[in-house]
């Protein structure tokens, strides 16, 4: 995982990063995750490391195999999540449907899930085609429930700054 360093981050920001890491590593079939602010900026990312990227430092203990995507996959996911969020919000307004809570796009080779967080931010997940969609949605709801009250303007600003400083 090529996530931003948690060094120097507040407890709330570190906890959000931990929740995101846990979602990616513990939920079978999840490939990448992104949290996007209401104005479309990437706040948290689980950017998979490309296979040809050598690990830094001593050789790590092998982790269970997890699918990897191209470097920058979470940035692409963030763009998709922001666009889907905007599109579905507009559609809900046209249909007097109220607030959009969740969007799912099922494709031949995977799925994209988007869930609203209470502050207007969005949680987006790209999952493999063989994932259990109900398990992914359940864990996303847990993340949203835990993250919603923590994403204050100060924490969002801190997370944005952290993402900008990530190589």
């Amino acid at each position: 995982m090529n996530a931003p360093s948690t060094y120097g981050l507040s407890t709330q920001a570190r906890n959000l990063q931990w929740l995101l890491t846990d979602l990616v590593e513990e939920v079978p079939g999840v490939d990448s995750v992104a949290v996007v602010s209401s104005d479309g900026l990437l706040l948290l990312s689980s950017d998979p490391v490309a296979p040809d990227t050598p690990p830094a430092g001593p050789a790590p203990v092998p982790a269970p195999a997890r699918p990897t995507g191209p470097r920058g996959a979470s940035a692409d996911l963030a763009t998709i999540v922001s666009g889907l969020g905007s599109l579905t919000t507009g559609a809900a307004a046209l249909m007097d449907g109220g607030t959009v809570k969740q969007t799912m796009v099922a494709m031949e080779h995977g799925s994209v899930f988007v869930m609203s967080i209470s502050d207007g931010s969005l949680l987006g997940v790209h999952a493999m085609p063989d994932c259990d969609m109900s398990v992914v949605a359940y864990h996303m709801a847990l993340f949203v429930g835990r993250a919603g009250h923590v994403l204050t303007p100060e924490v969002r600003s801190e997370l944005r700054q952290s993402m900008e400083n990530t190589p």
Side-chain angles (χ1 to χ4, degrees):
M1 174 153 334
N2 187 23
S5 168
T6 58
Y7 179 76
L9 292 180
S10 67
T11 300
Q12 293 89 350
R14 283 194 315 271
N15 285 343
L16 287 171
Q17 187 64 49
W18 179 83
L19 286 171
L20 182 116
T21 301
D22 190 54
L23 178 64
V24 173
E25 293 179 354
E26 299 300 323
V27 180
V30 170
D31 186 36
S32 61
V33 180
V35 175
V36 182
S37 67
S38 59
D39 54 357
L41 297 174
L42 182 61
L43 298 177
L44 286 169
S45 167
S46 68
D47 209 356
V49 177
D52 61 342
T53 304
V61 175
R66 150 181 181 313
T68 58
R71 192 164 180 79
S74 291
D76 291 343
L77 178 61
T79 302
I80 293 164
V81 167
S82 182
L84 283 172
S86 180
L87 179 66
T88 56
T89 298
L94 286 172
M95 294 188 253
D96 293 326
T99 304
V100 176
K101 297 182 184 294
Q102 182 177 352
T103 303
M104 195 224 20
V105 178
M107 302 168 286
E108 184 178 356
H109 299 291
S111 298
V112 175
F113 302 82
V114 180
M115 195 172 283
S116 298
I117 300 176
S118 63
D119 72 328
S121 298
L122 299 168
L123 170 65
V125 171
H126 173 244
M128 305 309 290
D130 60 346
C131 76
D132 184 331
M133 292 181 189
S134 62
V135 171
V136 173
Y138 171 76
H139 283 277
M140 288 177 70
L142 289 177
F143 180 95
V144 166
R146 293 173 181 154
H149 68 284
V150 177
L151 273 171
T152 62
E154 295 81 17
V155 172
R156 285 193 306 269
S157 177
E158 182 181 2
L159 291 169
R160 275 190 212 126
Q161 186 68 34
S162 173
M163 290 302 294
E164 290 172 5
N165 294 334
T166 300

